Amino acid sequence: MTYCLGIINRFGIVMGADSRTNAGVDYISAYRKLFDFSLAGERAIVICSSGNLSITQGVITQLKRDLHHGEPRNLYNLPSMYDIAHYIGEKSREIQDSDRPWLERNNIDYQCSFLLGGQVQGENAQLYLIYPQGNFIQATKETPFLQIGETKYGKPILDRTIKYDTPLDAMAKCALLSIDSTMKSNISVGPPINLIMYEMDTLVVRHKLELRLGDPYLAKMRKLWEDHVRSAFDAMPNLEWEPEESQSNDDILID
Amino acid sequence: MTYCLGIINRFGIVMGADSRTNAGVDYISAYRKLFDFSLAGERAIVICSSGNLSITQGVITQLKRDLHHGEPRNLYNLPSMYDIAHYIGEKSREIQDSDRPWLERNNIDYQCSFLLGGQVQGENAQLYLIYPQGNFIQATKETPFLQIGETKYGKPILDRTIKYDTPLDAMAKCALLSIDSTMKSNISVGPPINLIMYEMDTLVVRHKLELRLGDPYLAKMRKLWEDHVRSAFDAMPNLEWEPEESQSNDDILID
């Protein structure tokens, strides 16, 4: 399993991914799932991937090849983020098409998803989720984050904190906590964690981070978070239980 | 969907459930999913249910009937919590068996799960999860909580806070927050919320609570929680991004 997320708001974009890949629970390894394809000063392009590793690696390799061979459609000459999302979706469809009969024969899941975040000169920054079917959606002001892979454990913290005017630094910490929560609850999501922070209109990804297993920042963050959770419980008013005399045990009556 | 959870530790048991039932997204209604069958002073028995409503209601009705008809095996004369878990599993299997052919024909999910928590005089308090197949597991000191239904959104907060020596009051607040997080992230989980708190060795459930939509406690809790989350982010040390001069964009190189 994998967990990747992207958040966009008025200040920029934060994207993060874990690195764990597993084939069952008895074969676990680490692969990067966050890739920075930016062309400094012209366009910032960051891609995260989840799903069948042979397919996602295939797509990433194809993107690089098209760049290096100067193909007419590549990450550097497509005119907009929308076109880039469309192009990645097409690549994903192509590779899935060619492998599907062989994988299906053995009930191997060949689906994969991508997050695409960045900014092309002349446009606003944008964030997309490209589905296994190659179609895609864009994050908006109302729903400023997108997730792929093991999305559920890390969603509550995002639902509660991410707003259109959340500062970038807080967004990055929140992304990290969202990934950490997922790692704690699902063993198939694990370090190293890759994180990028993109400041609006800079057209270059200046902030990158890789946190390895046992990184002191991760440990400190986890401890501090758990302390705050406990103090939140202490601060919460006591529950107002129903007065005992008003309780009648209706539950055992036959309706 | 539904979300129910039970937590047990040295101080007692907390159990909670939402009340939302849906058949698709276009038919949503509210049904109790937490039932107190305690016999004050002799045994505390609380049951939560999730899954196909016709089956879970059928099981609960059968449990009541066996009680009222004084059947040789019922919730009040079975000698242990283990036997009660086994008995509920059997009831669930029976009703599933009788309805399965009809439900399967229309691809209707007939599975259901139960949580059983409580204490029979002479035993320690216990907490069980009864699977759709009728088999069951028991919560232990190492894993003091069990969940059924939409379990993922509410798990991180439990993973981070519930210990064998967490005070009962904090456990109850944590359970409520776990349900609230699930409600916020999944619209198919919703109020009223039912919560019980059982103090070890009292053999009676003294603390019950029903929180309806718009309950001021829920709103206050949510606000306070979100404030604490934000202050946790402020308190977290700033991320140490990689120095820009050490960054080289390897990602675009062909391997």
Side-chain angles (χ1 to χ4, degrees):
Chain A
M1 205 68 183
T2 297
Y3 176 44
C4 308
L5 82 167
I7 314 174
I8 187 168
N9 73 6
R10 56 185 297 200
F11 300 116
I13 297 176
V14 168
M15 293 173 78
D18 82 312
S19 299
R20 192 155 286 176
T21 300
N22 68 303
V25 291
D26 54 351
Y27 190 87
I28 285 181
S29 41
Y31 288 92
R32 270 285 285 285
K33 297 163 193 171
L34 183 150
F35 306 90
D36 175 15
F37 284 97
S38 301
L39 188 61
E42 296 188 20
R43 49 181 63 191
I45 302 174
V46 180
I47 298 172
C48 297
S49 63
S50 88
N52 182 299
L53 183 66
S54 74
I55 310 262
T56 58
Q57 284 192 341
V59 171
I60 297 294
T61 301
Q62 293 281 347
L63 299 181
K64 289 180 186 177
R65 281 201 173 172
D66 285 358
L67 267 185
H68 288 263
H69 295 173
E71 294 290 340
R73 298 174 72 233
N74 71 40
L75 291 175
Y76 291 170
N77 58 20
L78 284 160
S80 69
M81 289 299 288
Y82 177 89
D83 290 300
I84 294 174
H86 190 82
Y87 160 71
I88 295 172
E90 272 180 8
K91 289 288 171 195
S92 173
R93 285 173 178 169
E94 276 170 27
I95 299 184
Q96 287 185 63
D97 268 349
S98 80
D99 288 352
R100 182 183 293 131
W102 289 86
L103 299 175
E104 270 184 345
R105 204 175 296 164
N106 292 91
N107 289 318
I108 296 168
D109 189 358
Y110 54 82
Q111 299 209 316
C112 58
S113 309
F114 297 89
L115 293 177
L116 164 69
Q119 185 170 19
V120 167
Q121 202 165 26
E123 285 194 327
N124 288 325
Q126 292 167 35
L127 176 66
Y128 290 91
L129 188 168
I130 298 148
Y131 289 111
Q133 293 72 23
N135 56 334
F136 50 87
I137 58 168
Q138 188 183 348
T140 62
K141 204 169 161 176
E142 298 76 35
T143 304
F145 64 85
L146 295 170
Q147 307 168 286
I148 55 176
E150 172 60 280
T151 59
K152 289 195 173 184
Y153 297 120
K155 185 168 181 282
I157 187 76
L158 301 174
D159 278 331
R160 290 195 194 268
T161 52
I162 297 298
K163 306 273 186 304
Y164 193 63
D165 56 358
T166 305
L168 264 186
D169 266 334
M171 249 160 71
K173 291 174 189 173
C174 178
L176 206 53
L177 196 61
S178 174
I179 296 172
D180 188 62
S181 293
T182 310
M183 290 199 311
K184 201 165 157 80
S185 292
N186 183 337
I187 202 170
S188 78
V189 173
I193 295 173
N194 291 100
L195 199 69
I196 67 97
M197 183 168 90
Y198 170 73
E199 289 163 286
M200 190 64 81
D201 295 329
T202 56
L203 298 174
V204 60
V205 178
R206 290 223 178 85
H207 297 90
K208 294 185 190 183
L209 188 59
E210 182 168 273
L211 295 173
R212 307 199 150 266
L213 183 65
D215 187 284
Y217 185 90
L218 265 188
K220 207 187 291 177
M221 184 194 73
R222 200 175 263 199
K223 169 83 171 54
L224 198 142
W225 177 245
E226 286 166 13
D227 290 347
H228 266 76
V229 168
R230 259 188 299 275
S231 76
F233 288 141
D234 291 341
M236 276 179 204
N238 285 327
L239 286 165
E240 286 159 24
W241 301 98
E242 288 163 16
E244 227 174 309
E245 55 278 14
S246 79
Q247 292 179 16
S248 64
N249 205 346
D250 303 337
D251 291 349
I252 60 165
L253 299 180
I254 294 222
D255 300 316
Chain B
M1 205 69 184
T2 297
Y3 176 44
C4 308
L5 81 167
I7 315 173
I8 186 168
N9 74 5
R10 54 185 299 200
F11 300 116
I13 296 175
V14 169
M15 292 172 79
D18 81 314
S19 299
R20 190 154 287 176
T21 301
N22 68 303
V25 290
D26 53 351
Y27 190 88
I28 285 183
S29 41
Y31 288 93
R32 271 285 286 285
K33 297 164 193 171
L34 184 150
F35 305 92
D36 176 14
F37 284 97
S38 300
L39 187 61
E42 295 188 22
R43 49 182 64 191
I45 301 174
V46 179
I47 299 173
C48 297
S49 64
S50 88
N52 182 298
L53 183 67
S54 74
I55 309 262
T56 57
Q57 284 193 340
V59 170
I60 296 295
T61 301
Q62 292 281 347
L63 299 181
K64 290 180 186 176
R65 281 202 171 172
D66 285 359
L67 266 184
H68 287 264
H69 296 174
E71 293 292 339
R73 299 174 72 234
N74 71 39
L75 290 175
Y76 291 170
N77 60 19
L78 284 161
S80 69
M81 289 298 288
Y82 177 89
D83 289 301
I84 294 173
H86 191 81
Y87 160 72
I88 296 171
E90 272 179 8
K91 290 286 171 197
S92 173
R93 284 174 179 167
E94 275 170 28
I95 298 184
Q96 286 185 64
D97 267 348
S98 80
D99 288 351
R100 183 181 295 128
W102 290 85
L103 298 176
E104 269 183 345
R105 204 175 298 163
N106 292 93
N107 290 317
I108 296 169
D109 190 359
Y110 54 84
Q111 299 210 317
C112 58
S113 309
F114 297 89
L115 294 177
L116 164 70
Q119 185 170 19
V120 167
Q121 202 165 27
E123 285 193 329
N124 288 325
Q126 290 166 39
L127 176 66
Y128 289 92
L129 188 168
I130 299 148
Y131 289 111
Q133 292 74 24
N135 57 333
F136 51 88
I137 58 167
Q138 187 184 350
T140 62
K141 202 169 160 175
E142 298 76 32
T143 305
F145 64 86
L146 294 170
Q147 306 167 286
I148 56 177
E150 172 59 280
T151 59
K152 288 193 175 185
Y153 297 119
K155 186 168 182 278
I157 188 75
L158 301 173
D159 278 331
R160 291 195 192 265
T161 51
I162 297 299
K163 305 274 187 300
Y164 193 63
D165 56 359
T166 304
L168 264 187
D169 266 335
M171 247 159 71
K173 291 174 190 173
C174 178
L176 205 53
L177 196 62
S178 173
I179 296 172
D180 187 63
S181 292
T182 309
M183 291 200 309
K184 201 164 156 79
S185 292
N186 184 337
I187 200 168
S188 78
V189 173
I193 296 172
N194 291 100
L195 200 69
I196 68 98
M197 184 169 89
Y198 170 74
E199 289 165 286
M200 190 64 81
D201 295 330
T202 55
L203 298 173
V204 60
V205 178
R206 289 222 179 86
H207 298 89
K208 293 184 192 184
L209 188 59
E210 182 167 272
L211 296 174
R212 306 197 152 266
L213 183 64
D215 187 285
Y217 186 90
L218 266 189
K220 207 188 292 178
M221 185 193 74
R222 202 175 261 199
K223 170 82 171 58
L224 198 141
W225 177 246
E226 287 167 13
D227 290 348
H228 266 75
V229 168
R230 258 188 299 275
S231 76
F233 287 140
D234 292 342
M236 276 179 203
N238 285 326
L239 286 164
E240 287 159 23
W241 301 99
E242 289 162 16
E244 226 173 311
E245 56 277 15
S246 78
Q247 291 179 17
S248 64
N249 206 343
D250 302 339
D251 291 349
I252 60 163
L253 299 179
I254 295 224
D255 301 317

